[in-house]
Amino acid sequence: MSPQVAWLAELRRLVVLVAVALAVGWPLGLPWELLSVALIVLAMRWLWQMRRLLRWLEDPAIEPPEALGFWGEMYDRLYQLQRKARERESDLRSRLDYLQDSLSSMHDGAIMITAAGSIEWSNQAAQRLLGLRYPADRGQALLNLVRLPAFHRYYIAGAFDDPLQLRMQGEREQTLQFAITLFGNGDRLVFVRDVTKEAHLEQMRRDFVGNVSHELRTPLTVIKGYLEMILANAQQLEARFRRPLEQMSQQTERMESLLKDLLWLSRLESVRTQARREQVDIAGLLQELVDELRTLYPERTLSLQLDTREKIPGDYRELHSAVSNLILNAFKYSKNDSSVTVSWRQRDDELLLAVEDEGIGIDALHIPRLTERFYRVDDSRSSATGGTGLGLAIVKHIAAGHRAELRITSILGKGSTFTLAFRR
Ligand code: ADP
């Protein structure tokens, strides 16, 4: 029966009841009294049905009450709704179990955290890696159980684009990587991975590059010294040797700057700059650097715009190196008569250090790869300008060490802007 039909049947029943009460009551001279009695009986029936309904709703496990017509229809529909909800619940429960099973069997630690910061669930690997016990630790605040200051800072800062890597000193030295994703209403899923092997390999790679660069410096200094000595008396040289020797000297200089950049990069990679923080007066640093470069490159127009005197925590030497790399690049990749502008300003919750040039620009295609080591847009041009191909890799590293972002915007043929954006 459709709801409309059931409702109409109930209405018909009411009309018939009223008609019968009036028809019987009229000859007896008591039409209103009988009508009232009939309506009271009807209301009582409805009240009784409502009571049955309420009772049943209190304990839906029991079968729904039997009834005819409108009420029967209502019980049926509620029963069906309830059955569907129960089916959906059990379906969801089995999916959740399946999901938890798969997370449980994972090699990486997985911890579900409520918006209030307490542990909702964690897997076996989380016990192995962090000592969290489930279900014993359920409801406990995660930050009370994982007592790692760097993790606390990462967790509270809420910027989870990049994972956090931490070296743990314990019985067994291990490196853990933490990644956090947000879901639902501020709930978090924390993944912990043991990356000890990868970190060890990475360390070996860094050490290797550092050591090779270091070892190559001594022979290079000797070669360079002799070449300088020979070229100092160039007039005594046979003409056919002069050019090759000059080229050798140029290449040793290139090699020297390459080794210098490689060593600087490997130092940046191995030293944790966060540990050596001072308040760096960026406006002062830029003023000093710009004065220095104006003297070294008098032919260039270099302007400086200081809209703020805000200082930032960091390492003076590193920041100096990053900005001078950016300005020297701007010089290298633009004409002498174009200008380069360096600015330091504040925008919303960011402090922006920008170097803008009117040079050759960079095709959008290359921008994402510019900070890779030895990546060059135009190899022949970069080699001719004496670049090592490591400048932007160094800048990116320094930016990361200062929790800043390196943003690159460029229009081919018009110019480029390299911005270091520091969070306030
Ligand atoms: P390089 O030593 O070759 O300059 P970098 O790492 O500093 O190496 O830069 C990588 C590449 O990015 C450069 O080879 C160049 O192609 C491009 N590049 C860097 N800065 C600029 C700029 N200001 N304008 C145009 N291209 C640039």
Side-chain angles (χ1 to χ4, degrees), residues 329-330 332-333 357 360-362 370 375-378 382 387-393 416 418:
N329 270 354
K332 268 194 281 180
Y333 301 103
D357 66 54
I360 60 170
I362 308 156
L370 282 190
Y375 186 85
R376 281 149 169 172
V377 173
D378 176 354
S382 300
T388 60
L390 291 171
L392 290 181
S416 321
F418 288 75

Side-chain angles (χ1 to χ4, degrees), residues 10 13-14 17 37-47:
E10 192 67 20
R13 207 166 291 139
L14 179 67
L17 188 74
V37 171
L39 288 177
I40 288 170
V41 170
L42 185 71
M44 285 181 65
R45 190 174 105 86
W46 282 1
L47 277 173

Side-chain angles (χ1 to χ4, degrees), residues 261 325-334 355 357 359-362 369-379 381-383 385-395 410 415-418:
D261 276 1
N325 262 313
L326 291 179
I327 302 179
L328 290 177
N329 270 354
F331 283 175
K332 268 194 281 180
Y333 301 103
S334 64
V355 177
D357 66 54
I360 60 170
I362 308 156
R369 300 196 55 193
L370 282 190
T371 54
E372 287 174 23
R373 288 154 202 231
F374 301 115
Y375 186 85
R376 281 149 169 172
V377 173
D378 176 354
D379 221 8
R381 188 187 164 96
S382 300
S383 310
T385 52
T388 60
L390 291 171
L392 290 181
I394 291 177
V395 176
S410 187
S416 321
T417 306
F418 288 75

Side-chain angles (χ1 to χ4, degrees), residues 165-167 172-176 194-208:
Q165 195 154 309
L166 277 185
R167 172 108 58 93
R172 193 172 71 92
E173 198 174 274
Q174 60 174 1
T175 307
L176 297 184
D194 185 349
V195 290
T196 311
K197 260 193 217 150
E198 290 88 333
H200 186 62
L201 280 174
E202 179 63 16
Q203 186 61 44
M204 273 166 62
R205 183 193 63 77
R206 268 187 231 143
D207 290 350
F208 176 76

Side-chain angles (χ1 to χ4, degrees), residues 135-177:
D137 289 337
R138 185 161 181 223
Q140 299 266 11
L142 176 73
L143 294 184
N144 284 345
L145 299 179
V146 180
R147 295 192 162 273
L148 302 165
F151 177 72
H152 278 220
R153 281 196 297 275
Y154 177 69
Y155 186 90
I156 285 162
F160 303 132
D161 287 348
D162 296 316
L164 168 78
Q165 195 154 309
L166 277 185
R167 172 108 58 93
M168 323 276 287
Q169 315 280 357
E171 293 165 28
R172 193 172 71 92
E173 198 174 274
Q174 60 174 1
T175 307
L176 297 184
Q177 192 180 63

Side-chain angles (χ1 to χ4, degrees), residues 60 71 116 192 202 224 231 238 277 335 344 369 377 386 389:
W71 287 97
V192 194
E202 179 63 16
K224 196 178 162 218
L231 283 171
E238 262 187 60
R277 289 276 146 135
K335 292 216 179 79
W344 178 232
R369 300 196 55 193
V377 173

